[in-house]
Amino acid sequence: MRKINCIGVLTSGGDAPGMNAAIRAVTRTALFNHMQVKGIYHGYHGLINDEVFEFRSENVSNIIQRGGTILKTARCPEFRDYEGRRRAYDMLRKEKIDALVVIGGNGTFSGAREFGDEFDFPIVGVPGTIDNDLYGTDSTIGYDTALNTIVRAVDQIKDTAESHERLFLIEVMGRDAGFLALNGALATGSEAAVIPEIATSEDLLEHLIQNGFRKRKKSSIVLVSESDATGGAQGVAKRLRENGYEPHVTILGHVQRGGTPTASDRVLACRTGVAAVDALLEGQRGCMIGIKDDQIVYVPFSEAIKGEKPLDHHLIDILRVLCI
Ligand code: ATP
């Protein structure tokens, strides 16, 4: 195993609250272990284009509580091609970076896997995405904060929904995963969640909504994942309007990405950030650092990204029981 003298760290894909806490953890753990640290700006784009700066401890002072990412993030189509990854490798050699920690989601880890395999380069991932769609870790950095943001927004919409006795469809993020919509619905006492994993028939949705109004509920709220599989809130609204309903649609959008990370996300970021550097020092590579049943686990990239993170179907039963 080659000695690691310098670690590079980057954030990539969608930003998530808690990424800064992870950057801080990676930086300080590497410095603690007498290694050099280099912050790479704008994800893989910055790696290809040499946006690389040496980090000292003070570069990550006072960021643990800040949303977004001080390293910025970007989508980088060039990294999908071999030629782009080759340029990234040349840049790593020029900067004398011996190992890489990438903080991001599915796409980030797909790129990391290809890159690590092609160039035999030590690279580990820290799960940072609000969608919570990475297999092998109970949660991802940013998910808890986004969920709490959704809960606050839905609580506020509920006030107006109650006053006007209206049906609201609220669209939340989660293109391929319903964790935000389902747990958001549970935490706000909503009528139902329309999520990509489970087809919800129009009949069932109408039944749930009707059931609510029949029980003299003053309002009805349904959370919908933004996804091709659900048609999003506008798609569900269109179908309900054809059946005589008058739903109001709110799309929460990017408000879900920002804000101060919760304590839970900060702790997750600290633990996985420290473990990422420890893993590299142990000779681990090609894996995501997860936490399963409160234990640090190394999940091969190929497993983390396979998109089969199971959603607890029992939660849907609970939702139906609690909204009667
Ligand atoms: P989020 O889940 O929050 O959107 P993400 O990490 O999945 O985060 P993506 O935009 O999908 O975000 O991916 C980030 C970057 O990873 C892409 O811009 C691209 O540079 C790289 N990437 C994604 N998929 C691949 C792939 N199959 N091969 C190589 N690189 C990839």
Side-chain angles (χ1 to χ4, degrees):
M1 194 175 88
R2 255 186 57 207
K3 187 168 182 303
I4 299 175
N5 294 312
C6 177
I7 286 187
V9 57
L10 61 80
T11 50
S12 159
D15 62 310
M19 279 183 162
N20 281 326
I23 295 166
R24 171 180 175 271
V26 170
T27 302
R28 296 234 163 124
T29 310
L31 293 174
F32 181 83
N33 286 287
H34 311 292
M35 287 182 277
Q36 205 185 6
V37 187
K38 292 195 174 174
I40 300 155
Y41 284 73
H42 298 113
Y44 294 131
H45 178 83
L47 184 54
I48 292 173
N49 294 287
D50 201 10
E51 296 182 53
V52 181
F53 299 88
E54 183 165 355
F55 265 22
R56 303 193 186 285
S57 190
E58 56 271 26
N59 289 97
V60 294
S61 290
N62 201 26
I63 64 167
I64 195 168
Q65 76 281 20
R66 283 168 55 190
T69 157
I70 60 159
L71 284 175
K72 316 295 178 191
T73 183
R75 315 273 176 195
C76 175
E78 300 99 296
F79 202 74
R80 291 176 184 272
D81 300 329
Y82 176 80
E83 190 43 43
R85 293 194 292 273
R86 170 93 236 167
R87 284 173 59 200
Y89 179 67
D90 291 345
M91 206 50 77
L92 285 170
R93 295 200 59 175
K94 173 178 167 268
E95 291 288 345
K96 298 193 170 16
I97 294 172
D98 305 309
L100 207 51
V101 177
V102 294
I103 306 166
N106 257 302
T108 301
F109 295 166
S110 301
R113 182 176 68 139
E114 290 195 41
F115 181 82
D117 289 350
E118 278 166 353
F119 299 100
D120 188 22
F121 194 84
I123 176 163
V124 297
V126 169
T129 166
I130 66 166
D131 293 344
N132 196 28
D133 58 351
L134 291 164
Y135 183 87
T137 185
D138 289 336
S139 190
T140 56
I141 297 164
Y143 168 66
D144 185 63
T145 305
L147 185 57
N148 279 285
T149 302
I150 289 168
V151 167
R152 274 197 304 279
V154 174
D155 286 348
Q156 284 180 233
I157 291 168
K158 220 168 172 175
D159 288 345
T160 182
E162 287 261 318
S163 305
H164 288 277
E165 303 187 338
R166 279 178 176 161
L167 163 63
F168 267 84
L169 301 177
I170 302 175
E171 184 175 293
V172 302
M173 286 185 173
R175 208 167 283 282
D176 307 303
F179 295 97
L180 287 172
L182 183 54
N183 286 307
L186 264 177
T188 52
S190 297
E191 243 56 56
V194 183
I195 58 176
E197 291 89 342
I198 295 163
T200 310
S201 73
E202 301 307 303
D203 286 355
L204 176 60
L205 197 56
E206 284 190 46
H207 169 75
L208 292 168
I209 293 164
Q210 272 306 325
N211 203 31
F213 282 124
R214 245 198 328 270
K215 296 262 163 39
R216 295 187 187 283
K217 283 193 184 174
K218 293 281 181 277
S219 65
S220 222
I221 293 193
V222 173
L223 265 59
V224 183
S225 300
E226 162 206 46
S227 155
D228 290 342
T230 63
Q234 295 291 9
V236 176
K238 185 166 175 283
R239 299 196 296 270
L240 286 172
R241 279 190 198 109
E242 282 160 9
N243 293 333
Y245 291 88
E246 292 178 26
H248 290 255
V249 170
T250 300
I251 296 174
L252 291 189
H254 283 86
V255 74
Q256 295 162 89
R257 284 202 183 279
T260 305
T262 59
S264 169
D265 274 332
R266 296 183 204 192
V267 171
L268 179 62
C270 289
R271 291 183 66 187
T272 50
V274 170
V277 176
D278 289 345
L280 286 170
L281 288 174
E282 280 171 23
Q284 296 286 338
R285 52 167 66 195
C287 62
M288 175 191 81
I289 311 299
I291 295 191
K292 199 95 192 123
D293 301 327
D294 211 32
Q295 299 295 317
I296 291 285
V297 287
Y298 302 144
V299 186
F301 281 140
S302 54
E303 271 186 44
I305 61 177
K306 65 182 178 189
E308 288 169 14
K309 180 161 182 169
L311 183 128
D312 184 357
H313 286 222
H314 184 51
L315 294 179
I316 295 168
D317 300 334
I318 295 178
L319 185 59
R320 286 187 192 148
V321 169
L322 295 182
C323 76
I324 60 168

